[in-house]
Amino acid sequence: MRVTFVELSRGEALAQLGPHWPARPGALVALIGEHVAVTHGAVVVHLEDGQPGRTWWAVDGLIVPQDAGPPPELPGCPVATVPDPDPATPPLT
C-alpha cells in the first residue's frame, strides 16, 4: 500500500466534500491529524503499485465517509465514531 497526501486549503477540501461535511452522528472517521502533516487536502491510497488509487478528502485532520466510501484503514491512524450531539434544550413537541 502506498499513501500520498496532497495539502489543500480548508475551503478547497470542503468544496470537494460537499454534503458529506460535517460527518453525521454514528459515522466512522479516520483521525489522520496526529500522524500526518496534512490537515486539509487529499489522501490517495494505492493498494497495488502501478494501479490507480482511490482519493478521500480530509478536513481538520479527519477523513469522513464520502463518495469514495468509508474512510480507509491507514497504518497508525485510529478510527472513531462521531458521537450523537447532546441537545442543549429538549425538542419542541
Side-chain angles (χ1 to χ4, degrees):
M1 175 191 315
R2 182 170 54 94
V3 181
T4 305
F5 302 95
V6 180
E7 189 168 11
L8 298 171
S9 72
R10 187 174 193 274
E12 290 172 312
L14 284 172
Q16 297 301 321
L17 277 173
H20 302 293
W21 185 263
R24 291 175 175 75
L28 292 177
V29 296
L31 309 171
I32 66 166
E34 295 179 12
H35 301 281
V36 194
V38 174
T39 305
H40 315 297
V43 179
V44 186
V45 178
H46 302 268
L47 295 177
E48 297 181 32
D49 286 339
Q51 296 295 316
R54 183 180 283 182
T55 302
W56 283 267
W57 304 103
V59 174
D60 297 338
L62 301 174
I63 300 175
V64 301
Q66 49 200 273
D67 291 338
E73 292 183 24
L74 301 173
C77 294
V79 176
T81 302
V82 176
D84 287 326
D86 191 17
T89 58
L92 299 174
T93 56

